[in-house]
């Protein structure tokens, strides 16, 4: 049985005044995928994610989510999407619970039980009554992930989700992502510069260099041919251009 296509990029292009950006991105992501988006700083990862979530308009090309174009049916396309792009933002004068309670007003089916549930599975339930101005970067990231999965989204787009976390936090979030993908068929699109964690988390990898998607392969196949994802990444850099 064919897997459901969740996210489809077709010729996606955005060019800035300095001639950088992303160029002709073509990519299909399927239900239950944990897709890792790897590239050096300035390669276009965040730009691509902003285009996917409608935070920025493309010069040409399209993004389709569950078959719906974000250009033509934005609200329908984005309805089952949760995301963190660039930084996990919160209101610093509100507690963790109050922040999620505020975010829950955007959804019809999020109650207090769900708020407690996402605080628990992201490991910050015991800090639920603390104002987020006192949170470390890692705790803010945990809260961001809690907000991204609050509404039971079918697609979760995360930009550097493990940034600022300690080793324990990375392992916990990695296990959470894998569990949601396996048990709920949640699809993840994750950008990261933490190659080791991408290798341990993602089942497919795409490498973007200078705004162009140069390769897409399964993690299993990559590790069949290379000692590590880092070796594969550097081989692709050598092949398509120096950092």
């Amino acid at each position: 049985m064919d897997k459901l296509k969740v996210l489809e990029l077709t010729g996606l292009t955005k060019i800035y005044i300095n001639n950088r950006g992303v160029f002709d991105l073509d990519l299909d992501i399927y239900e239950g995928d944990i897709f890792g988006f790897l590239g050096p700083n300035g390669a276009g990862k965040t730009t691509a994610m902003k285009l996917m979530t409608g935070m920025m308009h493309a010069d040409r090309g399209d993004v389709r989510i569950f078959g719906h174009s974000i250009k033509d049916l934005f609200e329908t396309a984005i309805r089952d999407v949760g995301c963190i792009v660039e930084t996990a933002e919160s209101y610093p004068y509100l507690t963790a619970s109050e922040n999620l309670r505020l975010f829950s007003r955007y959804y019809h089916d999020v109650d207090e039980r769900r708020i407690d549930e996402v605080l628990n599975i992201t490991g910050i339930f015991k800090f639920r009554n603390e104002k987020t101005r006192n949170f470390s970067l890692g705790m803010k990231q945990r809260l961001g992930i809690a907000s991204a999965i609050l509404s039971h989204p079918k697609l979760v787009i995360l930009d550097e989700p493990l940034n600022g976390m300690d080793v324990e936090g990375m392992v916990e979030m990695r296990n959470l992502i894998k569990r949601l993908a396996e048990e709920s068929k949640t699809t993840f699109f994750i950008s990261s510069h933490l190659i080791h964690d991408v290798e341990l988390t993602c089942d497919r990898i795409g490498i973007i260099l200078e705004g162009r998607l140069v390769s897409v392969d399964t993690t299993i196949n990559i590790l069949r041919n290379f000692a590590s994802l880092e070796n594969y990444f550097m081989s692709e850099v050598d092949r398509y251009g120096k950092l």
Side-chain angles (χ1 to χ4, degrees), residues 98-108 110 115 150:
E98 288 169 342
N99 267 282
L100 293 183
R101 205 169 291 129
L102 184 63
F103 299 151
S104 74
R105 296 169 62 187
Y106 293 104
Y107 310 110
H108 299 296
V110 175
I115 289 171
L150 184 62

Side-chain angles (χ1 to χ4, degrees), residues 98-159:
E98 288 169 342
N99 267 282
L100 293 183
R101 205 169 291 129
L102 184 63
F103 299 151
S104 74
R105 296 169 62 187
Y106 293 104
Y107 310 110
H108 299 296
D109 57 349
V110 175
D111 56 17
E112 204 68 28
R113 183 191 301 179
R114 177 58 179 169
I115 289 171
D116 286 347
E117 181 181 16
V118 296
L119 287 169
N120 185 52
I121 64 178
T122 54
I124 53 172
F125 182 78
K126 62 184 177 182
F127 305 112
R128 65 191 182 281
N129 294 320
E130 290 191 23
K131 289 182 169 57
T132 62
R133 67 182 174 215
N134 300 320
F135 277 18
S136 66
L137 177 57
M139 290 168 66
K140 289 177 181 177
Q141 287 295 100
R142 287 174 183 258
L143 181 61
I145 293 171
S147 67
I149 63 173
L150 184 62
S151 64
H152 298 282
K154 296 176 182 176
L155 170 64
V156 180
I157 297 172
L158 301 175
D159 190 6

